[in-house]
Amino acid sequence: MTPPNPPAAPLRADCVGDSAGGLTFDVAARGNTGSALLILRRRDTDAEETVSLPLAPAAEGLLRAALPSSVSLPEGRWDAYAALSDGEPRRLVPGVTDLRSLAARTPGGLLGHVAVRIPYATRQGNLTVRSWLRAPHAETAELELVNGGLAVRGRVYGTQLTADAHAELRARAASDEGGDGDGVRRVDVVTERADFGFTVRYDTLAPGDWDLWLRPAGESGPVVRLARLLDDVADKHPVLTYPRARVLTPDGPVEAGPYYTDDNDLSLSVVPSAP
């Protein structure tokens, strides 16, 4: 009996980010690769959505594909594959990743949106690209615990701050139910050109999760979710942790602190604590 053929070795891709927000993929592949494609498939969508990029020879045993910032990649998680010699697409695994230029990037915001793409390794060891497309975007830069509250500083892209600018804290339970009123807290904002800052008092918040939003032009303008996207960390929730504070509220003592969601949006967690 002929033994089965061993599984093909995984295809490995090195990724390099550029200062404009684009990515270059270098796939190690030898032999006759034929007409090769790098394929990105958007995860968790009803209709299959793909972006195909040509893989062209860059050196002996190396194919290269470019994903420039000008190519639209809707927000989500995109699994990476390579199709060689008209064969079935094969899942890619990450090789060397150089994202230093992403961490130092300062978008101009002239296009009215900010596009961010960060390649990362999944739990199964495969290569996936996390994409954000925000129009406009409010980037959090610094979070600081101050006197039982949180000082937030950041910068807005794709729009302008006006004298009517303010921040909003929205109770997630109220938002999910379509409510407002007591589920929204308005916070004054200090602005300087594109930079903004404000302080949240924890003792004004009921227990629950509160999402942070910015209204750059007040009630008549856009509502922008605060997030931290402009670095090389695809999933900040398990990586970035912040101190929590114990404060007394009308609902009793609570423990409160900031965190980043699975989408790298900024939120606050307020939980009851023992007296």
Side-chain angles (χ1 to χ4, degrees):
M1 180 177 180
T2 303
N5 293 327
L11 291 173
R12 192 169 302 275
D14 297 338
C15 297
V16 178
D18 62 43
S19 58
L23 292 174
T24 298
F25 302 85
D26 284 345
V27 178
R30 297 189 175 277
N32 182 18
T33 58
S35 180
L37 292 174
L38 186 140
I39 301 171
L40 300 175
R41 290 179 178 169
R42 192 179 182 190
R43 196 187 300 173
D44 301 327
T45 55
D46 293 334
E48 182 172 305
E49 190 172 356
T50 64
V51 171
S52 297
L53 306 169
L55 276 166
E60 180 65 29
L62 192 69
L63 301 175
R64 177 168 295 168
L67 177 65
S69 58
S70 58
V71 173
S72 177
L73 197 67
E75 190 158 325
R77 297 179 189 269
W78 295 77
D79 297 329
Y81 298 79
L84 309 179
S85 301
D86 297 325
E88 287 295 319
R90 294 164 58 184
R91 198 73 165 88
L92 290 171
V93 300
V96 176
T97 301
D98 183 354
L99 304 179
R100 289 173 293 179
S101 62
L102 297 185
R105 180 185 174 210
T106 303
L110 298 177
L111 299 178
H113 67 259
V114 169
V116 178
R117 295 88 176 266
I118 304 178
Y120 70 98
T122 67
R123 293 178 181 176
Q124 295 75 32
N126 296 315
L127 177 62
T128 293
V129 176
R130 181 66 171 94
S131 174
W132 289 268
L133 190 63
R134 299 288 172 95
H137 171 54
E139 175 79 3
T140 60
E142 297 180 34
L143 304 178
E144 182 182 0
L145 181 64
V146 289
N147 299 324
L150 181 72
V152 180
R153 285 180 286 276
R155 172 167 288 192
V156 70
Y157 297 91
T159 190
Q160 293 185 346
L161 295 165
T162 72
D164 296 322
H166 63 270
E168 286 184 352
L169 282 70
R170 298 183 178 184
R172 191 173 302 163
S175 298
D176 293 343
E177 295 168 3
D180 50 17
D182 195 51
V184 177
R185 300 285 187 275
R186 176 171 169 165
V187 181
D188 292 335
V189 169
V190 176
T191 65
E192 183 179 355
R193 296 185 180 179
D195 296 330
F196 62 86
F198 60 90
T199 300
V200 177
R201 289 179 49 190
Y202 291 151
D203 60 7
T204 66
L205 304 178
D209 288 287
W210 294 78
D211 298 329
L212 278 70
W213 299 76
L214 182 70
R215 285 188 173 270
E219 298 291 341
S220 62
V223 184
V224 187
R225 188 72 164 93
L226 268 72
R228 182 169 173 175
L229 308 179
L230 300 176
D231 57 25
D232 57 355
V233 181
D235 291 301
K236 295 178 177 61
H237 182 69
V239 176
L240 301 183
T241 58
Y242 297 91
R244 299 176 65 82
R246 288 171 58 91
V247 299
L248 185 62
T249 74
D251 297 289
V254 301
E255 185 178 275
Y259 69 93
Y260 285 102
T261 70
D262 291 340
D263 289 325
N264 290 354
D265 296 326
L266 180 62
S267 295
L268 298 174
S269 167
V270 181
V271 297
S273 62

XYZ file of all heavy atoms in Angstrom, residues 137-217:
618
model
N -12.141 60.080 12.010
C -11.558 59.225 13.053
C -11.065 60.073 14.220
O -10.474 61.135 14.017
C -10.390 58.419 12.484
C -9.603 57.685 13.521
N -10.185 56.817 14.424
C -8.272 57.705 13.825
C -9.254 56.324 15.220
N -8.101 56.855 14.882
N -11.306 59.585 15.457
C -10.809 60.230 16.674
C -9.844 59.265 17.349
O -10.253 58.234 17.890
C -11.959 60.587 17.611
N -8.559 59.578 17.277
C -7.498 58.710 17.795
C -7.147 59.097 19.232
O -6.807 60.246 19.520
C -6.252 58.842 16.917
C -5.037 58.078 17.409
C -5.080 56.592 17.095
O -6.054 56.161 16.429
O -4.134 55.879 17.487
N -7.221 58.133 20.148
C -6.786 58.396 21.520
C -5.271 58.260 21.588
O -4.694 57.306 21.074
C -7.445 57.429 22.512
O -7.101 56.088 22.178
C -8.948 57.576 22.495
N -4.650 59.235 22.241
C -3.190 59.250 22.343
C -2.722 58.937 23.750
O -1.785 58.163 23.945
C -2.650 60.603 21.893
N -3.369 59.529 24.769
C -2.944 59.346 26.155
C -4.158 59.145 27.046
O -5.182 59.830 26.895
C -2.158 60.566 26.649
C -0.862 60.829 25.903
C -0.143 62.052 26.448
O -0.235 62.292 27.671
O 0.484 62.763 25.652
N -4.033 58.206 27.985
C -5.029 57.975 29.023
C -4.320 58.093 30.363
O -3.289 57.459 30.576
C -5.667 56.589 28.886
C -6.334 56.246 27.544
C -6.874 54.823 27.586
C -7.447 57.233 27.230
N -4.903 58.879 31.280
C -4.251 59.093 32.572
C -5.289 59.106 33.691
O -6.313 59.798 33.596
C -3.482 60.416 32.562
C -2.725 60.700 33.847
C -2.021 62.046 33.828
O -2.129 62.751 32.804
O -1.378 62.389 34.836
N -5.043 58.319 34.727
C -5.912 58.308 35.896
C -5.684 59.582 36.703
O -4.558 59.877 37.102
C -5.612 57.080 36.758
C -6.453 56.906 38.024
C -7.913 56.684 37.671
C -5.922 55.742 38.856
N -6.769 60.353 36.945
C -6.655 61.621 37.677
C -7.810 61.753 38.666
O -8.970 61.828 38.270
C -6.636 62.839 36.729
C -5.338 62.915 35.945
C -7.807 62.804 35.763
N -7.505 61.757 39.961
C -8.485 62.057 41.008
C -9.808 61.309 40.829
O -10.893 61.906 40.783
C -8.761 63.570 41.066
C -7.520 64.365 41.393
O -6.683 63.918 42.176
N -7.384 65.539 40.788
N -9.721 59.995 40.725
C -10.934 59.204 40.589
C -11.643 59.369 39.265
O -12.854 59.154 39.152
N -10.893 59.729 38.232
C -11.462 59.876 36.899
C -10.417 59.563 35.850
O -9.325 59.054 36.157
N -10.724 59.871 34.598
C -9.834 59.552 33.488
C -9.652 60.766 32.599
O -10.632 61.353 32.119
C -10.401 58.389 32.661
C -9.546 57.941 31.474
C -8.292 57.212 31.962
C -10.352 57.033 30.541
N -8.397 61.172 32.381
C -8.078 62.226 31.426
C -7.743 61.583 30.085
O -6.905 60.679 30.007
C -6.900 63.073 31.914
N -8.420 62.036 29.042
C -8.252 61.492 27.691
C -7.729 62.595 26.782
O -8.273 63.710 26.764
C -9.587 60.960 27.137
C -9.401 60.405 25.723
C -10.180 59.909 28.058
N -6.681 62.292 26.043
C -6.166 63.221 25.047
C -6.044 62.504 23.718
O -5.690 61.319 23.667
C -4.818 63.805 25.478
C -4.928 64.855 26.567
C -3.584 65.403 26.976
N -2.837 64.426 27.776
C -2.993 64.278 29.078
N -3.884 64.996 29.734
N -2.274 63.398 29.745
N -6.318 63.233 22.631
C -6.249 62.598 21.327
C -6.268 63.603 20.204
O -6.123 64.820 20.412
N -6.458 63.083 18.992
C -6.446 63.919 17.787
C -7.528 63.423 16.837
O -7.776 62.219 16.725
C -5.078 63.869 17.112
C -5.018 64.541 15.745
C -3.593 64.733 15.267
N -2.917 65.772 16.023
C -1.754 66.298 15.676
N -1.131 65.871 14.588
N -1.197 67.235 16.418
N -8.153 64.372 16.139
C -9.195 64.030 15.191
C -8.649 64.127 13.767
O -7.819 64.995 13.467
C -10.433 64.930 15.397
C -10.136 66.358 14.971
C -11.637 64.394 14.648
N -9.107 63.215 12.901
C -8.695 63.181 11.492
C -9.945 63.179 10.612
O -10.953 62.563 10.946
C -7.885 61.918 11.190
C -6.583 61.822 11.947
C -6.528 61.194 13.189
C -5.399 62.345 11.423
C -5.329 61.093 13.882
C -4.205 62.254 12.115
C -4.181 61.625 13.345
O -3.001 61.532 14.037
N -9.843 63.868 9.477
C -10.929 63.834 8.502
C -12.054 64.805 8.794
O -13.058 64.824 8.070
N -11.936 65.622 9.823
C -12.918 66.657 10.122
C -12.234 67.697 10.985
O -11.061 67.549 11.333
C -14.157 66.076 10.836
O -15.182 67.073 10.898
C -13.805 65.595 12.230
N -12.961 68.755 11.354
C -12.383 69.826 12.165
C -13.129 69.939 13.484
O -14.336 69.674 13.572
C -12.439 71.157 11.407
C -11.542 71.204 10.178
C -11.534 72.573 9.518
O -12.366 73.427 9.798
N -10.561 72.786 8.641
N -12.402 70.353 14.514
C -12.999 70.629 15.809
C -13.527 72.053 15.827
O -12.876 72.970 15.322
C -11.973 70.440 16.921
C -11.457 69.012 17.123
C -10.194 69.009 17.978
C -12.532 68.141 17.765
N -14.710 72.237 16.404
C -15.305 73.565 16.505
C -15.502 73.921 17.972
O -15.243 73.114 18.874
C -16.667 73.613 15.784
O -17.629 72.882 16.560
C -16.570 73.006 14.384
N -16.000 75.123 18.200
C -16.253 75.576 19.572
C -17.359 74.763 20.235
O -17.485 74.768 21.463
C -16.621 77.059 19.561
N -18.173 74.071 19.451
C -19.270 73.262 20.004
C -18.857 71.816 20.286
O -19.689 71.008 20.706
C -20.450 73.250 19.031
C -21.051 74.639 18.838
O -21.127 75.384 19.828
O -21.428 74.960 17.700
N -17.585 71.495 20.067
C -17.136 70.111 20.247
C -17.344 69.662 21.690
O -17.113 70.412 22.640
C -15.669 69.986 19.853
N -17.767 68.410 21.861
C -17.858 67.802 23.181
C -17.780 66.291 23.028
O -17.878 65.749 21.923
C -19.140 68.210 23.904
C -20.405 67.767 23.225
N -21.067 68.534 22.286
C -21.131 66.616 23.335
C -22.149 67.905 21.868
N -22.208 66.726 22.486
N -17.555 65.623 24.141
C -17.509 64.162 24.150
C -18.803 63.628 24.749
O -19.504 64.332 25.481
C -16.304 63.672 24.952
N -19.111 62.374 24.419
C -20.267 61.704 24.989
C -19.871 60.330 25.505
O -19.118 59.608 24.842
C -21.392 61.550 23.965
C -22.122 62.821 23.655
C -23.285 62.627 22.703
O -23.434 61.505 22.147
O -24.040 63.590 22.500
N -20.390 59.979 26.672
C -20.274 58.626 27.198
C -21.651 57.997 27.077
O -22.644 58.562 27.572
C -19.823 58.629 28.661
C -18.339 58.879 28.935
C -17.950 60.318 28.636
C -18.019 58.541 30.371
N -21.721 56.861 26.420
C -23.007 56.208 26.187
C -23.014 54.846 26.856
O -22.156 53.999 26.580
C -23.260 56.054 24.688
C -23.333 57.378 23.947
C -23.651 57.171 22.487
N -23.778 58.434 21.776
C -24.131 58.540 20.498
N -24.376 57.439 19.781
N -24.250 59.721 19.927
N -23.993 54.647 27.729
C -24.137 53.346 28.374
C -24.477 52.312 27.314
O -25.418 52.488 26.534
C -25.240 53.397 29.429
N -23.707 51.246 27.251
C -23.887 50.275 26.170
C -25.248 49.608 26.219
O -25.884 49.377 25.194
C -22.790 49.226 26.221
C -22.751 48.342 24.969
C -21.545 47.437 24.982
N -20.316 48.216 25.063
C -19.150 47.688 25.412
N -19.069 46.411 25.737
N -18.064 48.437 25.446
N -25.734 49.309 27.408
C -27.052 48.673 27.516
C -28.131 49.586 26.957
O -29.016 49.150 26.221
C -27.349 48.315 28.970
N -28.036 50.890 27.264
C -29.024 51.838 26.741
C -28.916 51.955 25.230
O -29.919 52.040 24.522
C -28.841 53.199 27.396
N -27.674 51.941 24.708
C -27.481 52.035 23.257
C -28.053 50.817 22.556
O -28.686 50.927 21.502
C -25.988 52.180 22.942
O -25.460 53.357 23.507
N -27.828 49.625 23.133
C -28.337 48.400 22.525
C -29.856 48.382 22.471
O -30.464 47.791 21.582
C -27.834 47.176 23.294
C -26.331 46.984 23.158
O -25.756 47.581 22.224
O -25.730 46.255 23.978
N -30.487 49.045 23.453
C -31.946 49.060 23.506
C -32.538 50.254 22.780
O -33.745 50.459 22.767
C -32.392 49.080 24.974
C -32.000 47.804 25.724
C -32.172 47.949 27.235
O -32.649 49.027 27.651
O -31.832 47.000 27.970
N -31.660 51.080 22.191
C -32.132 52.246 21.449
C -32.542 53.402 22.340
O -33.182 54.345 21.901
N -32.145 53.383 23.611
C -32.526 54.440 24.537
C -31.484 55.532 24.600
O -30.434 55.481 23.994
N -31.822 56.575 25.337
C -30.865 57.659 25.552
C -31.143 58.230 26.934
O -31.271 57.489 27.885
C -30.963 58.724 24.448
C -32.389 59.185 24.208
O -33.257 58.940 25.075
O -32.633 59.784 23.169
N -31.213 59.550 27.059
C -31.533 60.150 28.348
C -30.461 59.863 29.374
O -29.335 60.319 29.258
N -30.820 59.092 30.415
C -29.878 58.828 31.507
C -28.715 57.964 31.044
O -27.731 57.817 31.767
C -30.616 58.142 32.666
C -29.803 58.178 33.949
O -29.350 59.276 34.320
O -29.599 57.111 34.544
N -28.801 57.372 29.864
C -27.718 56.534 29.356
C -26.652 57.297 28.619
O -25.766 56.687 28.012
N -26.699 58.630 28.624
C -25.710 59.451 27.924
C -25.181 60.506 28.896
O -25.944 61.156 29.611
C -26.316 60.146 26.682
C -25.276 61.043 26.014
C -26.832 59.115 25.692
N -23.861 60.658 28.935
C -23.229 61.715 29.710
C -22.434 62.607 28.754
O -21.623 62.109 27.973
C -22.272 61.141 30.765
C -22.924 60.219 31.768
C -23.737 60.998 32.792
N -24.219 60.110 33.841
C -25.337 59.384 33.763
N -26.075 59.455 32.664
N -25.705 58.612 34.764
N -22.676 63.897 28.839
C -21.937 64.847 28.002
C -20.746 65.386 28.789
O -20.874 65.701 29.975
C -22.847 65.987 27.566
C -22.127 67.072 26.774
C -23.107 68.049 26.182
N -22.423 69.221 25.645
C -22.985 70.109 24.823
N -24.241 69.941 24.449
N -22.303 71.138 24.376
N -19.594 65.496 28.122
C -18.365 65.957 28.771
C -17.764 67.075 27.925
O -17.623 66.936 26.699
C -17.348 64.799 28.914
C -16.088 65.288 29.615
C -17.959 63.625 29.673
N -17.415 68.194 28.583
C -16.781 69.314 27.877
C -15.399 68.905 27.364
O -14.685 68.119 27.989
C -16.646 70.518 28.796
C -17.996 71.119 29.161
O -18.948 70.930 28.380
O -18.089 71.759 30.223
N -15.033 69.494 26.215
C -13.772 69.176 25.555
C -12.955 70.445 25.393
O -13.483 71.505 25.039
C -14.032 68.528 24.169
C -12.753 68.449 23.357
C -14.624 67.141 24.334
N -11.649 70.338 25.656
C -10.703 71.407 25.358
C -10.039 71.075 24.022
O -9.580 69.943 23.813
C -9.644 71.534 26.466
C -8.600 72.581 26.096
C -10.299 71.892 27.797
N -9.996 72.031 23.104
C -9.457 71.773 21.768
C -8.307 72.723 21.454
O -8.252 73.850 21.944
C -10.547 71.927 20.692
O -10.975 73.305 20.650
C -11.741 71.037 20.994
N -7.410 72.234 20.621
C -6.324 73.057 20.066
C -6.009 72.504 18.682
O -5.389 71.449 18.556
C -5.081 73.027 20.951
C -3.973 73.928 20.432
C -2.745 73.922 21.325
O -2.786 73.295 22.402
O -1.738 74.539 20.939
N -6.489 73.204 17.666
C -6.387 72.725 16.280
C -7.047 71.354 16.171
O -8.235 71.222 16.430
C -4.936 72.731 15.822
C -4.318 74.130 15.781
C -2.917 74.127 15.212
N -2.360 75.467 15.187
C -1.152 75.749 14.757
N -0.364 74.772 14.301
N -0.711 76.997 14.757
N -6.280 70.316 15.833
C -6.869 68.983 15.684
C -6.816 68.161 16.970
O -7.324 67.034 17.006
C -6.168 68.219 14.565
N -6.221 68.694 18.026
C -6.074 67.957 19.279
C -7.234 68.260 20.222
O -7.763 69.379 20.245
C -4.758 68.325 19.962
C -3.552 67.904 19.142
O -3.654 66.898 18.410
O -2.508 68.587 19.216
N -7.608 67.259 21.014
C -8.686 67.438 21.983
C -8.309 66.767 23.296
O -7.440 65.890 23.352
C -10.006 66.850 21.453
C -9.969 65.368 21.194
C -10.219 64.445 22.211
C -9.674 64.875 19.933
C -10.182 63.083 21.971
C -9.636 63.504 19.681
C -9.885 62.619 20.709
N -8.969 67.199 24.362
C -8.762 66.591 25.665
C -9.989 66.780 26.532
O -10.705 67.785 26.411
N -10.269 65.809 27.394
C -11.388 65.920 28.323
C -11.153 64.959 29.483
O -10.299 64.071 29.415
C -12.733 65.617 27.638
C -12.849 64.237 27.048
C -13.334 63.170 27.801
C -12.489 64.002 25.726
C -13.451 61.910 27.254
C -12.605 62.734 25.171
C -13.081 61.684 25.940
N -11.902 65.182 30.561
C -11.771 64.347 31.750
C -13.131 63.767 32.125
O -14.130 64.503 32.187
C -11.205 65.153 32.934
O -9.904 65.652 32.579
C -11.076 64.281 34.174
N -13.167 62.478 32.363
C -14.375 61.765 32.773
C -14.340 61.565 34.284
O -13.335 61.097 34.824
C -14.470 60.388 32.078
C -15.694 59.631 32.558
C -14.497 60.554 30.562
N -15.429 61.922 34.963
C -15.552 61.648 36.395
C -16.277 60.320 36.580
O -17.431 60.171 36.167
C -16.319 62.775 37.083
C -15.565 64.084 37.196
C -16.428 65.133 37.867
N -17.042 64.627 39.105
C -17.985 65.276 39.785
N -18.437 66.440 39.329
N -18.484 64.762 40.897
N -15.605 59.372 37.204
C -16.213 58.062 37.404
C -17.435 58.109 38.322
O -18.339 57.274 38.196
C -15.190 57.095 37.996
C -14.064 56.704 37.060
C -12.809 56.363 37.566
C -14.240 56.663 35.686
C -11.775 55.989 36.731
C -13.220 56.297 34.833
C -11.978 55.958 35.367
O -10.942 55.589 34.539
N -17.479 59.073 39.259
C -18.580 59.072 40.228
C -19.905 59.513 39.615
O -20.933 59.545 40.300
C -18.237 59.927 41.452
C -17.963 61.389 41.106
O -18.162 61.776 39.928
O -17.545 62.136 42.003
N -19.908 59.855 38.306
C -21.161 60.200 37.624
C -21.738 59.028 36.842
O -22.793 59.171 36.206
C -20.934 61.366 36.645
O -20.057 60.928 35.585
C -20.306 62.560 37.346
N -21.059 57.878 36.877
C -21.432 56.759 36.012
C -22.068 55.621 36.798
O -21.564 55.219 37.857
C -20.200 56.238 35.264
C -19.421 57.262 34.436
C -18.211 56.604 33.795
C -20.321 57.898 33.385
N -23.157 55.090 36.267
C -23.793 53.908 36.843
C -23.007 52.667 36.442
O -22.259 52.682 35.447
C -25.234 53.807 36.359
N -23.130 51.569 37.176
C -22.436 50.331 36.789
C -22.809 49.888 35.378
O -23.955 50.023 34.946
C -22.918 49.328 37.843
C -23.242 50.161 39.030
C -23.821 51.431 38.472
N -21.824 49.380 34.656
C -22.016 48.906 33.291
C -20.837 49.300 32.425
O -19.802 49.762 32.922
N -20.984 49.103 31.114
C -19.963 49.492 30.146
C -20.410 50.771 29.457
O -21.562 50.888 29.014
C -19.739 48.389 29.109
C -19.025 47.187 29.690
O -17.824 47.282 29.942
O -19.688 46.160 29.915
N -19.469 51.713 29.338
C -19.734 53.006 28.721
C -18.786 53.201 27.534
O -17.576 53.071 27.678
C -19.521 54.138 29.731
C -20.509 54.121 30.864
C -20.485 53.301 31.964
C -21.662 54.952 31.008
N -21.549 53.573 32.779
C -22.293 54.585 32.221
C -22.210 55.982 30.241
C -23.446 55.206 32.677
C -23.373 56.606 30.686
C -23.975 56.218 31.892
N -19.347 53.488 26.362
C -18.555 53.714 25.155
C -18.330 55.207 24.967
O -19.232 56.020 25.200
C -19.272 53.136 23.939
C -19.460 51.626 24.040
O -18.601 50.965 24.662
O -20.471 51.114 23.520
N -17.113 55.564 24.530
C -16.724 56.969 24.406
C -16.803 57.426 22.951
O -16.263 56.768 22.052
C -15.304 57.183 24.948
C -15.187 57.333 26.471
C -15.469 56.010 27.169
C -13.824 57.855 26.871
N -17.462 58.565 22.762
C -17.673 59.148 21.445
C -17.268 60.618 21.471
O -17.275 61.250 22.528
C -19.141 59.061 21.023
C -19.661 57.655 20.913
C -20.006 56.823 21.938
C -19.883 56.918 19.713
N -20.446 55.615 21.450
C -20.388 55.638 20.090
C -19.730 57.214 18.365
C -20.716 54.671 19.149
C -20.065 56.254 17.419
C -20.546 54.986 17.828
N -16.941 61.148 20.299
C -16.607 62.556 20.146
C -17.566 63.171 19.134
O -17.831 62.595 18.083
C -15.164 62.717 19.659
C -14.660 64.148 19.493
C -14.481 64.816 20.857
C -13.335 64.172 18.724
N -18.072 64.368 19.495
C -18.857 65.169 18.550
C -18.015 66.396 18.185
O -18.062 67.410 18.890
C -20.189 65.576 19.162
C -21.211 64.448 19.241
C -22.556 64.997 19.685
N -23.611 64.021 19.636
C -24.399 63.780 18.584
N -24.207 64.469 17.462
N -25.357 62.888 18.644
N -17.231 66.325 17.115
C -16.298 67.418 16.779
C -16.979 68.742 16.510
O -16.406 69.800 16.769
C -15.577 66.896 15.533
C -15.793 65.420 15.542
C -17.117 65.206 16.174
N -18.207 68.704 15.963
C -18.924 69.936 15.628
C -20.192 70.100 16.461
O -21.090 70.845 16.070
C -19.263 69.950 14.142
